[in-house]
Amino acid sequence: TYICEDPKIDNSTQEPLNCTNHTAYVPCHPAPNITCKDHSGNENNFTGKEVGFYKPIACRNVNGYSYKVAVALSLFLGWLGADRFYLGYPALGLLKFCTVGFCGIGSLIDFILISMQIVGPSDGSSYIIDYYGARLTRLSITNETFRKTQTYP
């Protein structure tokens, strides 16, 4: 039996510390007072302080784009294209600026898309969200997706 520690969270990004390639590692310790025999008959008594292994946990790649700032810019200055400039889409930002947010329709559509996290930063990173916990996860079907064959009665 192993007891894994909770991840240490970076206050500025709300992601686990040392997150690289969408993975962070947390130490897992064997339960205290457990005695194990290896294949050659040697006994090991664990105190619970040793690290048995490092468990990989998923984390998100963030590069400084705040979800709150993106939504606020989209709501108040979306008709000027400020939201698209902030997220790294200067061509769309300039187009929205010149057309006054596509006469307001583009601003409304962008507000909905940014609020639902469908449009994110242009570098492919995720938003910084101000709490560590449940987040929006996009579901998609790829070549690696397992499809269960349907059986009909």
Side-chain angles (χ1 to χ4, degrees):
T1 304
Y2 288 92
I3 301 167
C4 297
E5 296 179 8
D6 290 330
K8 292 176 178 46
I9 304 301
D10 184 355
N11 287 332
S12 63
T13 64
Q14 292 300 306
E15 291 297 321
L17 288 172
N18 301 322
C19 176
T20 54
N21 296 329
H22 302 285
T23 306
Y25 295 92
V26 294
C28 295
H29 307 279
N33 301 321
I34 297 287
T35 303
C36 296
K37 281 187 180 179
D38 61 13
H39 62 283
S40 49
N42 297 329
E43 288 189 1
N44 292 328
N45 190 12
F46 294 104
T47 63
K49 298 194 186 317
E50 305 90 352
V51 174
F53 64 95
Y54 289 92
K55 176 183 173 185
I57 59 169
C59 59
R60 299 174 325 133
N61 176 30
V62 294
N63 282 339
Y65 293 98
S66 169
Y67 176 70
K68 285 194 318 188
V69 171
V71 170
L73 284 174
S74 184
L75 180 63
F76 297 113
L77 298 174
W79 58 278
L80 293 173
D83 51 353
R84 291 295 186 149
F85 280 113
Y86 174 72
L87 293 175
Y89 302 100
L92 285 173
L94 186 62
L95 189 61
K96 280 179 70 177
F97 178 77
C98 292
T99 61
V100 189
F102 300 111
C103 297
I105 301 297
S107 298
L108 176 64
I109 291 170
D110 269 356
F111 175 70
I112 292 168
L113 293 177
I114 290 171
S115 296
M116 294 177 64
Q117 299 179 29
I118 294 171
V119 171
S122 64
D123 61 1
S125 64
S126 297
Y127 288 114
I128 295 175
I129 298 179
D130 291 341
Y131 62 90
Y132 180 75
R135 302 245 167 84
L136 179 68
T137 303
R138 289 194 192 124
L139 300 178
S140 62
I141 296 176
T142 63
N143 289 336
E144 289 79 31
T145 304
F146 175 74
R147 289 188 181 197
K148 184 177 179 182
T149 55
Q150 293 184 354
T151 56
Y152 299 99

